[in-house]
Amino acid sequence: MTGRTRVRAAVPLALSLALAGSLLPGAVSAQDEAAAPPHDKPGPAAERLLYNSFFVDRAPLDIQADEMDLYLFGLKTEAAQDLRGTPGIELIDAPATAVSLILNPAPAREGELNPFSIPEIRDAMQFLVNRDAIAQDIYQGAGQPMITHVGPSDPDFLTVYDIDRGSGISYDPELARELIAEAMTAAGAELVDGSWAYEGQPIRIKLIGRVEDERRDIADLVRSELEQAGFEVAITYDQFGPAVQKVYSTDPQAFEW
């Protein structure tokens, strides 16, 4: 384990684009006909491959403008849905990436309490995050809930199938709130007017939400669940660079997140 707990909601559906007649064209022939090569020269069908970087928000426009032939990365869900059925563009469904909720388990300073330093509360988060809603509502069906480190679309999923199906993990906010209440009370916290406090001070969770894609909506969902569990939540919306800098490059005990 790395010391950071992850609650995963996988997004294994890559929405890649390929124009008809892409970088690697091939002849399609009848079953009794030999394949006809595109030319009589030795080597591949394409003599040059040009690689470039395309911003995800502009990728759909660039491919429609013939600025590229093949986009090998995931698209935002809404953009992909808009492109479906567009003549000359093919969307390919394939495993892509995963989004994770990373919890800071560092012990708090004297007189303070970090809820995520308590293993039982980290475990309770597994039942507090609605993976199905993330996959079906936020990603519009272009994602799958992910319980283990191997996604359901991965060929190696069979090696962890029994663990995944036997985990007993599902969205159960009432159970999550019960587990959180037990752990917080045992740690000396009190529920005051519906919010958790420790030694007379409110407990405030700093949540960082990425803004460049659907992860902003996921952050809002997590914030709502934490608030219903009795926590004050201070949310900061950051782009990739600042978010990664805070989470991965700062001392966890500085509690910038």
Side-chain angles (χ1 to χ4, degrees):
M1 296 183 64
T2 63
R4 291 189 172 94
T5 301
R6 294 172 179 259
V7 179
R8 294 177 178 268
V11 189
L13 183 60
L15 297 163
S16 304
L17 304 175
L19 286 176
S22 63
L23 293 178
L24 299 175
V28 179
S29 59
Q31 187 174 6
D32 57 348
E33 295 178 358
H39 54 66
D40 57 2
K41 301 176 182 178
E47 294 183 354
R48 285 197 313 160
L49 298 180
L50 303 178
Y51 295 87
N52 206 342
S53 175
F54 293 89
F55 184 49
V56 64
D57 285 339
R58 282 205 50 84
L61 301 175
D62 289 331
I63 199 164
Q64 291 181 86
D66 262 351
E67 296 295 326
M68 73 171 96
D69 295 310
L70 183 67
Y71 186 66
L72 291 175
F73 300 93
L75 290 172
K76 291 184 179 180
T77 305
E78 184 176 351
Q81 300 292 11
D82 290 343
L83 282 174
R84 287 196 183 277
T86 301
I89 295 179
E90 178 186 1
L91 271 67
I92 302 171
D93 297 343
T97 188
V99 293
S100 303
L101 173 63
I102 303 175
L103 308 178
N104 182 350
R109 295 176 284 266
E110 186 71 25
E112 299 178 357
L113 176 65
N114 172 20
F116 299 132
S117 68
I118 304 172
E120 290 79 8
I121 291 182
R122 298 200 300 270
D123 290 341
M125 292 298 295
Q126 298 283 2
F127 303 97
L128 196 66
V129 176
N130 193 342
R131 294 173 174 84
D132 289 322
I134 293 172
Q136 297 302 318
D137 297 337
I138 295 178
Y139 284 100
Q140 302 178 34
Q144 294 175 307
M146 189 170 174
I147 302 298
T148 63
H149 64 291
V150 181
S153 296
D154 194 294
D156 288 332
F157 182 67
L158 288 177
T159 63
V160 297
Y161 179 85
D162 292 340
I163 298 174
D164 183 279
R165 291 297 179 265
S167 68
I169 294 174
S170 63
Y171 178 56
D172 191 340
E174 291 187 9
L175 172 61
R177 289 192 284 266
E178 289 177 8
L179 295 174
I180 288 172
E182 291 175 4
M184 291 294 288
T185 301
E190 296 179 309
L191 196 61
V192 180
D193 296 330
S195 297
W196 288 106
Y198 184 73
E199 296 192 1
Q201 298 298 317
I203 295 174
R204 183 175 293 107
I205 292 175
K206 295 180 180 179
L207 176 63
I208 297 176
R210 295 271 293 276
V211 298
E212 62 267 30
D213 53 29
E214 290 87 353
R215 278 170 286 196
R216 176 169 186 145
D217 296 325
I218 296 173
D220 288 336
L221 183 149
V222 173
R223 179 197 59 191
S224 175
E225 294 286 5
L226 287 170
E227 288 174 342
Q228 292 180 62
F231 295 107
E232 290 187 17
V233 181
I235 189 167
T236 301
Y237 298 104
D238 276 333
Q239 294 281 349
F240 168 80
V244 170
Q245 174 69 24
K246 289 178 183 176
V247 174
Y248 291 101
S249 299
T250 62
D251 183 348
Q253 283 196 289
F255 292 109
E256 293 192 28
W257 57 284

